[in-house]
Structures are given as structure tokens and as C-alpha cells.
Amino acid sequence: MRIEIEERKRRMSSLVELQSELSNKLQISTIARSRAETQVERAVRERAEMVREIEELRKQRDVLNRRIEFCKQKDAIGKDRSEG
């Protein structure tokens, strides 16, 4: 009877240790997941900011291209008038 009680105590102790270990692993995993989610959120924000910057640069490029075309046309008209 005493041996059986000792065996059950050992098993109980092993189960408690296992539960503690699993609890620690779960906690570590939860922290890692939280950090990963934070990194993903940061990456999403950075991507959105880059997209906005790209769009702004495209708008600026389009404005400059229109100005260049306007100046080319104005120059062409000026050349035609001076030659005529």
C-alpha cells in the first residue's frame, strides 16, 4: 500500500511538473505571438505609408511631366513664330 502511495505521489509530482512546463511554454508562445502580431502591424503601417509616398511621388511626376510638355509646346510654338 505504501509503495502504491509513493508511486502515485511521483506520478502526481510528474504531472504537476509537466503542467508547469506546458504553462511556461504556452506563456512563451503567447508572448512570441504577441510580438509577431506587433511586427506584422508595424509592417502593414509601413507598407501603407510607402504606398502613400509612392502615390504622392506619382502625382508630382505627373505634374512635372505636364509642365515639361507645356514648356515643349510653348517652345515649339515660339520657334514656329520666329521662323515664320
Side-chain angles (χ1 to χ4, degrees):
M1 184 78 158
R2 190 176 259 168
I3 294 174
E4 189 175 321
I5 291 172
E6 289 299 319
E7 181 62 29
R8 287 184 180 183
K9 282 183 180 180
R10 277 194 294 270
R11 286 183 184 173
M12 184 64 87
S13 178
S14 293
L15 288 173
V16 169
E17 286 177 20
L18 181 59
Q19 182 181 14
S20 177
E21 184 180 333
L22 291 174
S23 178
N24 287 338
K25 286 183 178 182
L26 177 62
Q27 194 172 18
I28 290 168
S29 177
T30 302
I31 291 169
R33 179 178 176 214
S34 177
R35 287 180 181 166
E37 287 173 349
T38 300
Q39 289 175 342
V40 168
E41 289 170 3
R42 184 180 304 129
V44 168
R45 283 193 309 270
E46 288 174 359
R47 182 188 179 281
E49 183 61 30
M50 285 181 181
V51 168
R52 282 192 291 274
E53 288 177 14
I54 288 169
E55 193 56 39
E56 183 60 34
L57 289 171
R58 284 182 178 153
K59 287 178 186 177
Q60 291 175 11
R61 179 200 62 196
D62 292 346
V63 168
L64 290 173
N65 282 337
R66 284 194 296 272
R67 286 182 182 174
I68 289 169
E69 283 304 311
F70 176 77
C71 289
K72 283 181 181 178
Q73 290 173 2
K74 186 177 171 185
D75 192 40
I77 291 170
K79 285 182 182 179
D80 289 343
R81 287 188 181 166
S82 64
E83 288 177 4

